[in-house]
Amino acid sequence: MKAQRVDMFVCPSATPADTSGLQALADAGKIKPDTLVALVGKTEGTGAHDDWGRVWADVALRDWTAKFLGIPVGEVAKHVIFVLSGGCPGVITPHIAAVTREWLDVPDGSQDGEKRLVVGRAGSDAITPEEVGRMGQIRKVADATHKAMADAGLTDPKDVHLVMVKVPGLTTASIADAESRHKTVVSHDLTFGPEGAGAYANDAAALGVAMALGEVPESKLADDVVRRDWDLYSEVAMTSSGGEKRHGEVVVFGNSTSSASALQIGHAVTRDFIDAAGVRQALRSAGLRFKDGLPDEADLSRLVHVFAKSVIPGSDQVRGQRITLLDDADAYQIGKALGGMLVASVTGRTTNYVSGGERNSHQGPPGGNIVAAVVRAN
Amino acid sequence: MKAQRVDMFVCPSATPADTSGLQALADAGKIKPDTLVALVGKTEGTGAHDDWGRVWADVALRDWTAKFLGIPVGEVAKHVIFVLSGGCPGVITPHIAAVTREWLDVPDGSQDGEKRLVVGRAGSDAITPEEVGRMGQIRKVADATHKAMADAGLTDPKDVHLVMVKVPGLTTASIADAESRHKTVVSHDLTFGPEGAGAYANDAAALGVAMALGEVPESKLADDVVRRDWDLYSEVAMTSSGGEKRHGEVVVFGNSTSSASALQIGHAVTRDFIDAAGVRQALRSAGLRFKDGLPDEADLSRLVHVFAKSVIPGSDQVRGQRITLLDDADAYQIGKALGGMLVASVTGRTTNYVSGGERNSHQGPPGGNIVAAVVRAN
Amino acid sequence: MKAQRVDMFVCPSATPADTSGLQALADAGKIKPDTLVALVGKTEGTGAHDDWGRVWADVALRDWTAKFLGIPVGEVAKHVIFVLSGGCPGVITPHIAAVTREWLDVPDGSQDGEKRLVVGRAGSDAITPEEVGRMGQIRKVADATHKAMADAGLTDPKDVHLVMVKVPGLTTASIADAESRHKTVVSHDLTFGPEGAGAYANDAAALGVAMALGEVPESKLADDVVRRDWDLYSEVAMTSSGGEKRHGEVVVFGNSTSSASALQIGHAVTRDFIDAAGVRQALRSAGLRFKDGLPDEADLSRLVHVFAKSVIPGSDQVRGQRITLLDDADAYQIGKALGGMLVASVTGRTTNYVSGGERNSHQGPPGGNIVAAVVRAN
Amino acid sequence: MKAQRVDMFVCPSATPADTSGLQALADAGKIKPDTLVALVGKTEGTGAHDDWGRVWADVALRDWTAKFLGIPVGEVAKHVIFVLSGGCPGVITPHIAAVTREWLDVPDGSQDGEKRLVVGRAGSDAITPEEVGRMGQIRKVADATHKAMADAGLTDPKDVHLVMVKVPGLTTASIADAESRHKTVVSHDLTFGPEGAGAYANDAAALGVAMALGEVPESKLADDVVRRDWDLYSEVAMTSSGGEKRHGEVVVFGNSTSSASALQIGHAVTRDFIDAAGVRQALRSAGLRFKDGLPDEADLSRLVHVFAKSVIPGSDQVRGQRITLLDDADAYQIGKALGGMLVASVTGRTTNYVSGGERNSHQGPPGGNIVAAVVRAN
């Protein structure tokens, strides 16, 4: 039978355009043109939509990948999924994680019964501007999530621990297009603010994942629950959106007994913004050993990577006391930075993937956030 | 014999000028005009030198205290020391901690031999502009620290766990004064930047404490080690400076067997910016019970307050990986906020006193910070 | 007959709570308890909704006014209208302008036929949360504008040169109230962002003024033109909103032949963000002499005050070239500061009232802004 | 005889890496590999030292230029000088100005006696770390300025209207190098703050130009006047510094009767931060026609480009009134943006080169700034 072997390599970046870590992996034969499936990274810069650090990184990484794969730059997106999250305030080390997937021929029954990391990808049908942030997008992302699970060889939603999604947002042009066809759009605010189209797009994508995985029953979903009913959420969806896209892309990470990987993944959620226990629980879920209530120092070398959201809570209360985060002039930066600290204070390292800074989300429970961890199996 | 009983009450503030918590304490008889010795708090606002939140809080608290003590506002500073640290970014709840000290007649030998909280205060001799940030200031703060220890009834530096110091900084006027007398000043930069007079003033004050407590031998001290030789530092000094002051003020917190307090204090330092273990160690030092390597949830109710610095490291490396904190556009806010998260993620509460955001300091070891904790005795 | 004499005094503020300028005016008899009708000012601080500089100024000015009028603080709002605009970035000097109105007995026909400054005030009916940002608010502000014109003795809209309006915004509580009565609200976004309730409230108020003055025919007004159809606007409305208010307040400034004032007012609009000619036109409109195309230096001493908006254009183009203002991380501050520079570079002084920073508005034409000027008559 | 013909072309940039405008000029034969002498531009981004917009622009422009010249990227700096100033807050359009110089054979005496634009370049001797911000650097920049004048064919300092200089700054490495040789450095603060090495480097470079042009006599220059005696300054020097450089580069722009250019240059200084008259004077100096005290609209088409500094004044007073610019949280951005507005409000266009934001400088008089303008001759 065919079994997939997934690997993940984390390369710190000296500058946004630094591809030396990837080149070293390529030179060492660890990533190959036909095994590289995704590049997921944090890039230094403002984190805003005109974050030139992220844009430059994107250009440089696509150039490198095109050369590595021996194809034109325009073809790269068909082979490798890029998830670059801009902004590394505080203690988030800029880095790129390369994800590889290789198909091995293994004798039937040769697996040890342990669940190991698998990855699957799928594109959604085209999403129209009028669908963005609404049921149309939710359903198309749900469909694509099912397809990506199938590509990963996963059938049980419990085995899914992380779903990264990129969907179209709205632009001046796409709004004009929709309105010329007498359609309405979810918002004219193109920002990621509370009523921004970017926030709606991200959140509808998260609800699409939640629907696919049965975290939220379809019967509870409707246009007007998006960014309204915060009790509906996914515990594994990390989503982003961009105006330039026309369809969604979904990458599913999970564990399967039919995997030949040396890695495994787990996840948990934090219950509020200062909940280090939630981060610890994610490491436990991924199989890391604990000692005296804390990750065993000796075992931390098995930790490959952590993926975490740091969405700012919509409330000004944490455990009964008022905080001013919602009013901080630079709440977006601080919110992201605080997530980086929460994770780093547990993992003892700064090369964590932490995205966020926006306010409120269906990615994770109200006030809390999603944390996933990948660990090398014993 | 006379024994002091020190108490500490933490009041969250709804606005900078909110004195309702203090009034409630007064109404309940917990603070009295002749027992109130210090108000130490975090005020919401920009944290900058023109932070109107802090200025307004200062005005409102002095007004309230003058009425409470039945004295003119101008006399308040003789009776109560104010330490207001502006800026509560992230998860730092604005609050005021009232410190009271009462002298009790206790029978000789009635104490149980346990060390309990004591507090002592002293003013320094006047510090001239040309002494700011230099040996003159170091020596005068060291003298005042000795006097404050004596006031607290402390003789062994090991019993000192927190020394809060306020000293004069430089102003345009005080620089002109010094130069008219043909004296030089440590810097013409009036900011708290790397070469700013404010940073020099704070750091010379910290070295003054270090000298008084024997943390740094006098022989190693000289004008040109200030903000140069980071291996010289105090583990208990938290200092601030203001242009309006003419002499230093020192408040010492420690433990003594001759105290009749129900509280005790401890401290530790973090070894780097993500060192949650250092925060836990401070709680342990103060006497909090731990369970499975973490503060025992049931025992956390005994935790009265935490005082922590969050000085940004001068290096761009944390545990071997690069971070961009030094270059973050809002590093001052983010640096302070991250300290707040590090403490809150351990204490499980947000009403912690966390000041900082400046870069590099003799307050705490290179890259690390000071954490002190006050706990109600069992 | 009775004629009103209006005067205006501009006091720079040394701090947000500085009332010394007002006290000096009071001591000199220039403002009296029964003549003071409005305090309009710029306060230093962040300009955000939790701008403690503005809040402190508001508290201090109301306290001073209560003492000056000999009434309780709670009664002050019935006698004096406060318009405090927070944030003085760049070259905007913090200041308070006191507006006085006195009724004189003058012989019939004694006026010289010249139009001089008059002022009128009126409150609107209570505005419900569901009316905020919609036709209900537009109509109630229009009604109040008519009443304020009547109070000023103005009948011709052409004689109206500035209408300052304060209206209720939305709050968490008022939204809950509306929804408990099964009403919808214009936005759940409580900010002044593009889809924020604050922006909707301000803009509906501006359209209310435009309706009252015939700048926009009632037939073109509807809920869905607010913050959609930018071709509808007022050239004289400067509006603000606050969650604490329950009804609107309107102050109208205009010129009338029946005025006994020594001042006169004029206004103009800028056609885009760099249009200094628009500022010059406002000074001309107010009656200032020009020489060689520029305000006559010698005549500038007659200029009493300038009121200007600095709303950021919704487009990224100025005269055919791209600017990045919409994407600037601190666009709110920069947008306000640039308006301050545009005015100061023409008036040659920095004590101008300039509010703004928000994006797009019905206050002024698309891309342009409103400027009004008050001049002492020859 | 040989006469130089200098031309200047301003290309707005759609993104930091946009070279399409340059390519169009190349395609049209307006710039040629052997005529391109400098690229001077404003790039969008944070303007900070890690401004990835500027860094990316630099990489992309050097790549394009290398291809255009048919040489390796490493050789580009020998042929073309790059001056990229990061940050376009407010109304500064991102753009690149290409400067070309061509040597023509013209008959002796064929020139019309009018002074026209010339340009000259020179490198300085290597500048050691211990010389940065001190007399060593001042003298070497002065020498290079003389050489660049000679290269331009200029002998009279009055004919020099703009001198752009790039010099080495200090880095951690270069400080260590100096100190290993027992030399001191001007500052350990690597920022552009009031006592920052970057500010010292820029200001010593400005004084070097002032010395070369006789604006400041050598007898008044010494290490300790740099950033101390603000009465010493150049009216034509615009300087920048970077840690990667080892020697200085100087580009001189002036007018000469032996030029065959169609352009001419002029300059003036503003006397304070709101002095639009100073900007107008620069346009007049360059030969632009005025009408009614303002630039003649019809003649503005002859305006090719404006170069302006926008250094923040060290005082908090403008024409006798207090401003808060020095305390603005984002003073660096606002200070630069305000300069952009001052120029744009006069030129009626946003494609102006405006750099600044730092506090105090020997580039221009105390409180004022330098403005140079290039105009196409009638």
Side-chain angles (χ1 to χ4, degrees):
Chain A
M1 64 175 268
K2 287 278 184 188
Q4 57 172 288
R5 188 169 66 192
V6 178
D7 219 332
M8 190 177 287
F9 305 95
V10 177
C11 308
S13 312
T15 68
D18 180 13
T19 55
S20 63
L22 294 176
Q23 189 59 51
L25 289 171
D27 293 346
K30 293 192 173 172
I31 60 176
K32 297 171 197 161
D34 58 350
T35 66
L36 183 64
V37 294
L39 293 175
V40 180
K42 291 294 307 176
T43 57
E44 59 193 299
T46 62
H49 74 100
D50 62 342
D51 176 347
W52 302 115
R54 184 180 47 72
V55 175
W56 187 29
D58 191 79
V59 168
L61 286 171
R62 283 179 200 276
D63 278 356
W64 181 87
T65 306
K67 279 178 201 149
F68 181 53
L69 269 59
I71 58 174
V73 167
E75 303 283 302
V76 165
K78 294 182 192 164
H79 298 268
V80 179
I81 287 183
F82 287 73
V83 179
L84 296 183
S85 166
C88 295
V91 291
I92 302 171
T93 293
H95 69 269
I96 301 293
V99 182
T100 59
R101 179 168 73 163
E102 202 167 352
W103 290 96
L104 307 179
D105 275 306
V106 294
D108 281 11
S110 68
Q111 303 299 91
D112 61 5
E114 295 294 324
K115 288 183 175 176
R116 296 282 185 267
L117 185 63
V118 290
V119 64
R121 299 184 301 177
S124 81
D125 288 346
I127 295 171
T128 64
E130 57 267 32
E131 287 176 327
V132 167
R134 293 171 171 166
M135 279 307 294
Q137 192 183 46
I138 292 174
R139 287 210 178 86
K140 285 175 179 173
V141 169
D143 282 349
T145 303
H146 282 138
K147 282 184 208 150
M149 283 177 66
D151 183 48
L154 292 167
T155 50
D156 186 345
K158 288 201 192 68
D159 290 327
V160 176
H161 293 275
L162 176 61
V163 183
M164 295 189 124
V165 184
K166 290 173 70 179
V167 288
L170 288 178
T171 62
T172 306
S174 68
I175 291 176
D177 165 52
E179 297 186 338
S180 74
R181 291 181 284 102
H182 306 291
K183 305 293 187 184
T184 64
V185 292
V186 71
S187 174
H188 282 78
D189 176 353
L190 297 184
T191 72
F192 288 84
E195 294 292 321
Y200 276 95
N202 289 354
D203 274 326
L207 290 175
V209 173
M211 178 177 141
L213 301 182
E215 296 175 284
V216 173
E218 189 176 349
S219 61
K220 287 204 171 170
L221 292 169
D223 285 359
D224 63 4
V225 303
V226 184
R227 294 193 64 73
R228 289 287 175 279
D229 185 349
W230 300 113
D231 291 332
L232 311 179
Y233 58 86
S234 171
E235 295 200 352
V236 295
M238 295 191 187
T239 63
S240 58
S241 54
E244 75 291 353
K245 303 190 67 65
R246 288 290 160 265
H247 68 282
E249 288 177 345
V250 176
V251 190
V252 163
F253 293 89
N255 292 326
S256 164
T257 53
S258 63
S259 162
S261 301
L263 308 180
Q264 58 205 31
I265 189 169
H267 83 277
V269 293
T270 56
R271 68 186 167 102
D272 61 30
F273 213 59
I274 63 173
D275 182 24
V279 180
R280 289 193 290 265
Q281 184 53 33
L283 302 191
R284 259 195 209 95
S285 159
L288 208 70
R289 264 198 308 275
F290 273 58
K291 194 171 150 181
D292 284 344
L294 294 167
D296 182 348
E297 289 281 332
D299 209 39
L300 270 170
S301 62
R302 290 201 297 126
L303 181 62
V304 175
H305 209 28
V306 170
F307 300 86
K309 285 297 295 184
S310 189
V311 171
I312 296 178
S315 156
D316 68 349
Q317 302 275 324
V318 171
R319 302 192 191 178
Q321 295 292 352
R322 184 174 71 100
I323 58 169
T324 63
L325 180 54
L326 288 176
D327 294 331
D328 287 341
D330 39 11
Y332 176 77
Q333 303 290 349
I334 291 176
K336 193 184 292 185
L338 290 183
M341 177 57 102
L342 191 68
V343 173
S345 74
V346 171
T347 65
R349 68 178 69 169
T350 56
T351 50
N352 309 295
Y353 176 96
V354 181
S355 78
E358 63 271 35
R359 185 187 301 189
N360 259 341
S361 170
H362 298 292
Q363 302 169 62
N369 277 293
I370 300 170
V371 187
V374 175
V375 167
R376 197 159 298 277
N378 273 313
Chain B
M1 63 176 267
K2 286 276 184 191
Q4 58 172 287
R5 187 169 65 190
V6 178
D7 219 332
M8 191 177 288
F9 305 95
V10 177
C11 309
S13 312
T15 68
D18 179 13
T19 54
S20 63
L22 294 177
Q23 190 58 51
L25 289 171
D27 293 345
K30 293 192 173 173
I31 61 177
K32 297 172 197 158
D34 58 350
T35 65
L36 184 63
V37 293
L39 293 175
V40 180
K42 290 295 305 177
T43 57
E44 60 193 298
T46 63
H49 75 99
D50 62 342
D51 176 347
W52 301 115
R54 184 179 47 72
V55 175
W56 187 28
D58 192 77
V59 169
L61 286 170
R62 284 180 200 274
D63 277 355
W64 181 87
T65 306
K67 278 180 202 149
F68 181 54
L69 269 60
I71 59 174
V73 167
E75 303 283 301
V76 166
K78 294 182 192 165
H79 299 268
V80 179
I81 287 184
F82 288 73
V83 179
L84 296 182
S85 166
C88 294
V91 291
I92 302 170
T93 293
H95 69 269
I96 301 294
V99 182
T100 60
R101 179 169 73 164
E102 200 166 355
W103 290 95
L104 308 180
D105 276 306
V106 294
D108 279 10
S110 69
Q111 303 300 91
D112 60 6
E114 295 293 323
K115 288 184 175 176
R116 295 281 186 266
L117 186 62
V118 290
V119 65
R121 299 182 304 177
S124 81
D125 288 346
I127 295 170
T128 64
E130 57 268 31
E131 287 176 326
V132 167
R134 293 171 169 166
M135 279 307 294
Q137 192 182 46
I138 292 174
R139 286 211 179 86
K140 286 177 178 171
V141 170
D143 283 349
T145 302
H146 282 139
K147 282 184 208 147
M149 282 177 67
D151 184 48
L154 291 167
T155 51
D156 186 345
K158 288 199 193 68
D159 289 327
V160 175
H161 293 274
L162 176 62
V163 183
M164 294 189 125
V165 184
K166 290 173 72 179
V167 288
L170 289 177
T171 62
T172 307
S174 68
I175 292 176
D177 166 52
E179 297 187 339
S180 76
R181 293 180 284 103
H182 307 291
K183 307 292 186 184
T184 64
V185 292
V186 71
S187 174
H188 283 78
D189 176 353
L190 297 184
T191 72
F192 287 84
E195 293 293 321
Y200 276 95
N202 289 353
D203 274 325
L207 290 175
V209 173
M211 178 178 141
L213 301 183
E215 296 175 285
V216 174
E218 188 175 350
S219 61
K220 288 204 172 172
L221 291 168
D223 284 0
D224 64 3
V225 304
V226 184
R227 294 195 62 75
R228 287 288 175 278
D229 184 349
W230 299 114
D231 292 331
L232 311 178
Y233 57 86
S234 171
E235 295 201 351
V236 295
M238 296 191 186
T239 62
S240 58
S241 54
E244 75 290 354
K245 303 190 68 66
R246 287 291 159 264
H247 68 283
E249 288 177 345
V250 177
V251 190
V252 164
F253 294 89
N255 292 325
S256 164
T257 53
S258 64
S259 162
S261 301
L263 308 181
Q264 58 204 31
I265 188 169
H267 83 278
V269 293
T270 56
R271 67 184 168 105
D272 60 30
F273 213 59
I274 62 172
D275 183 23
V279 180
R280 288 192 291 264
Q281 185 53 33
L283 302 191
R284 259 196 208 93
S285 159
L288 208 70
R289 264 198 307 277
F290 272 58
K291 192 171 153 182
D292 284 345
L294 294 168
D296 182 347
E297 290 280 332
D299 209 38
L300 270 170
S301 61
R302 290 201 298 126
L303 180 63
V304 174
H305 209 28
V306 171
F307 300 85
K309 285 296 296 183
S310 188
V311 172
I312 297 178
S315 155
D316 68 348
Q317 301 275 324
V318 172
R319 304 194 189 175
Q321 296 292 353
R322 185 175 70 100
I323 59 168
T324 63
L325 180 54
L326 289 176
D327 294 331
D328 286 341
D330 39 11
Y332 177 77
Q333 302 290 348
I334 291 175
K336 192 183 293 183
L338 290 183
M341 177 57 101
L342 192 68
V343 175
S345 75
V346 171
T347 65
R349 68 179 68 168
T350 56
T351 49
N352 309 297
Y353 176 96
V354 181
S355 78
E358 64 272 34
R359 186 187 300 189
N360 260 341
S361 170
H362 298 292
Q363 303 168 61
N369 277 293
I370 300 170
V371 187
V374 175
V375 166
R376 196 158 299 276
N378 272 313
Chain C
M1 64 175 267
K2 287 276 186 193
Q4 58 172 287
R5 187 168 68 190
V6 179
D7 219 332
M8 191 177 289
F9 305 95
V10 177
C11 309
S13 312
T15 68
D18 179 13
T19 54
S20 63
L22 294 177
Q23 189 59 50
L25 289 171
D27 293 345
K30 293 194 174 172
I31 60 176
K32 297 171 196 160
D34 59 348
T35 65
L36 182 63
V37 293
L39 293 174
V40 180
K42 291 294 306 177
T43 56
E44 60 193 299
T46 63
H49 75 99
D50 63 341
D51 176 348
W52 301 115
R54 183 180 47 71
V55 174
W56 187 29
D58 192 78
V59 169
L61 286 171
R62 284 180 200 275
D63 277 355
W64 180 87
T65 306
K67 278 178 201 148
F68 181 54
L69 269 60
I71 57 174
V73 168
E75 303 284 301
V76 166
K78 294 182 192 163
H79 299 267
V80 179
I81 287 183
F82 287 74
V83 179
L84 297 182
S85 166
C88 294
V91 291
I92 302 170
T93 292
H95 69 269
I96 301 293
V99 183
T100 59
R101 179 169 73 165
E102 199 167 354
W103 290 95
L104 308 179
D105 275 306
V106 296
D108 280 10
S110 68
Q111 302 299 91
D112 61 4
E114 294 294 323
K115 288 183 175 176
R116 295 282 186 265
L117 185 63
V118 289
V119 64
R121 299 183 302 175
S124 81
D125 288 346
I127 295 171
T128 64
E130 58 267 32
E131 286 176 326
V132 167
R134 292 171 171 166
M135 280 306 295
Q137 191 183 47
I138 292 174
R139 286 210 179 85
K140 285 176 178 172
V141 169
D143 283 350
T145 302
H146 282 138
K147 282 183 207 150
M149 284 177 67
D151 183 49
L154 292 167
T155 50
D156 186 346
K158 288 199 192 68
D159 289 327
V160 175
H161 292 276
L162 175 61
V163 184
M164 294 189 125
V165 185
K166 289 174 71 180
V167 288
L170 288 178
T171 62
T172 306
S174 68
I175 291 176
D177 165 52
E179 296 188 338
S180 75
R181 292 180 285 101
H182 306 292
K183 306 292 187 184
T184 64
V185 292
V186 71
S187 174
H188 283 77
D189 176 353
L190 297 184
T191 73
F192 287 83
E195 294 292 321
Y200 275 96
N202 290 353
D203 274 325
L207 290 175
V209 173
M211 179 176 141
L213 301 182
E215 296 175 285
V216 173
E218 188 175 350
S219 61
K220 287 204 173 172
L221 291 169
D223 284 359
D224 63 4
V225 305
V226 184
R227 292 194 64 73
R228 288 289 176 277
D229 185 349
W230 300 113
D231 291 332
L232 311 178
Y233 57 86
S234 170
E235 295 200 352
V236 294
M238 295 190 186
T239 63
S240 59
S241 54
E244 75 291 355
K245 304 191 65 68
R246 290 290 159 264
H247 68 283
E249 289 177 345
V250 176
V251 190
V252 163
F253 293 89
N255 292 325
S256 164
T257 53
S258 64
S259 163
S261 301
L263 307 181
Q264 58 204 31
I265 188 169
H267 83 277
V269 293
T270 55
R271 68 185 168 103
D272 60 30
F273 213 60
I274 62 172
D275 183 23
V279 180
R280 290 192 290 265
Q281 185 52 33
L283 302 191
R284 260 196 207 93
S285 159
L288 207 70
R289 265 198 308 274
F290 272 58
K291 193 172 153 182
D292 284 345
L294 294 168
D296 182 348
E297 289 281 332
D299 208 39
L300 269 171
S301 62
R302 289 200 299 125
L303 180 64
V304 175
H305 208 28
V306 171
F307 299 85
K309 286 296 295 185
S310 188
V311 172
I312 296 177
S315 156
D316 68 349
Q317 302 275 324
V318 171
R319 303 193 190 177
Q321 295 292 353
R322 184 174 72 99
I323 58 168
T324 63
L325 179 54
L326 289 177
D327 295 332
D328 286 342
D330 39 11
Y332 176 76
Q333 303 291 348
I334 291 175
K336 192 183 293 183
L338 291 182
M341 177 57 102
L342 192 68
V343 174
S345 74
V346 171
T347 65
R349 67 178 69 168
T350 57
T351 49
N352 309 296
Y353 176 95
V354 181
S355 78
E358 63 272 34
R359 184 187 301 188
N360 260 341
S361 170
H362 298 291
Q363 302 169 62
N369 277 293
I370 300 170
V371 186
V374 175
V375 166
R376 196 160 300 276
N378 272 313
Chain D
M1 63 175 269
K2 287 279 185 189
Q4 57 172 289
R5 188 170 64 191
V6 178
D7 218 332
M8 191 177 288
F9 304 95
V10 178
C11 308
S13 313
T15 68
D18 179 14
T19 55
S20 63
L22 294 176
Q23 190 57 50
L25 289 170
D27 293 345
K30 294 192 172 172
I31 61 176
K32 298 171 197 160
D34 58 349
T35 65
L36 183 63
V37 293
L39 293 175
V40 180
K42 291 293 307 175
T43 56
E44 59 193 298
T46 63
H49 74 100
D50 63 340
D51 176 347
W52 302 115
R54 185 180 47 73
V55 175
W56 187 28
D58 191 77
V59 169
L61 286 170
R62 284 180 200 273
D63 277 354
W64 181 87
T65 306
K67 278 180 200 148
F68 180 54
L69 268 60
I71 58 173
V73 168
E75 303 283 301
V76 165
K78 294 183 193 164
H79 299 267
V80 179
I81 286 183
F82 287 73
V83 179
L84 296 182
S85 166
C88 293
V91 291
I92 302 169
T93 293
H95 68 269
I96 301 294
V99 182
T100 60
R101 179 168 74 163
E102 201 166 354
W103 290 96
L104 308 178
D105 275 306
V106 295
D108 280 11
S110 68
Q111 303 301 90
D112 60 6
E114 295 292 326
K115 289 185 175 175
R116 296 281 185 265
L117 185 63
V118 290
V119 64
R121 299 182 303 176
S124 81
D125 287 346
I127 295 170
T128 63
E130 57 268 30
E131 288 176 325
V132 167
R134 293 170 170 168
M135 280 306 294
Q137 192 183 44
I138 291 173
R139 287 210 178 84
K140 286 177 177 172
V141 169
D143 283 349
T145 303
H146 283 138
K147 283 184 207 148
M149 283 177 66
D151 183 48
L154 292 167
T155 51
D156 186 346
K158 288 200 191 66
D159 289 327
V160 175
H161 293 275
L162 175 62
V163 184
M164 294 188 125
V165 184
K166 289 172 71 178
V167 288
L170 288 178
T171 62
T172 306
S174 69
I175 292 176
D177 165 52
E179 297 187 338
S180 75
R181 291 180 286 101
H182 307 291
K183 307 291 187 184
T184 64
V185 292
V186 71
S187 174
H188 282 79
D189 177 353
L190 297 183
T191 72
F192 287 85
E195 293 293 321
Y200 276 95
N202 290 353
D203 273 325
L207 290 174
V209 173
M211 179 178 142
L213 301 182
E215 297 176 284
V216 173
E218 189 176 348
S219 61
K220 288 204 173 172
L221 290 168
D223 284 359
D224 63 3
V225 305
V226 184
R227 293 194 64 74
R228 289 288 175 278
D229 184 350
W230 300 113
D231 291 331
L232 311 178
Y233 57 88
S234 171
E235 296 201 351
V236 295
M238 296 191 187
T239 62
S240 58
S241 55
E244 75 291 354
K245 304 190 67 66
R246 288 291 158 264
H247 68 282
E249 288 177 345
V250 176
V251 190
V252 163
F253 294 89
N255 292 325
S256 165
T257 53
S258 64
S259 162
S261 301
L263 308 181
Q264 58 204 31
I265 188 168
H267 83 277
V269 293
T270 57
R271 67 184 168 106
D272 61 29
F273 213 60
I274 62 172
D275 182 24
V279 180
R280 289 193 291 264
Q281 185 52 34
L283 302 191
R284 259 195 209 94
S285 159
L288 208 69
R289 266 198 307 275
F290 272 58
K291 193 172 151 180
D292 284 344
L294 293 167
D296 182 348
E297 290 279 332
D299 208 40
L300 270 170
S301 61
R302 290 200 299 125
L303 180 64
V304 174
H305 208 28
V306 171
F307 300 85
K309 284 298 295 184
S310 188
V311 172
I312 296 178
S315 155
D316 68 349
Q317 302 275 324
V318 172
R319 303 192 190 178
Q321 296 292 353
R322 184 175 71 101
I323 58 168
T324 62
L325 180 54
L326 288 176
D327 294 332
D328 286 342
D330 39 10
Y332 176 78
Q333 302 290 348
I334 291 176
K336 192 183 292 182
L338 290 182
M341 177 58 101
L342 192 68
V343 175
S345 75
V346 171
T347 65
R349 69 179 68 169
T350 56
T351 49
N352 308 297
Y353 176 95
V354 181
S355 78
E358 64 272 34
R359 185 187 300 189
N360 261 342
S361 170
H362 298 291
Q363 303 168 64
N369 277 293
I370 301 170
V371 186
V374 175
V375 166
R376 197 159 296 277
N378 273 313

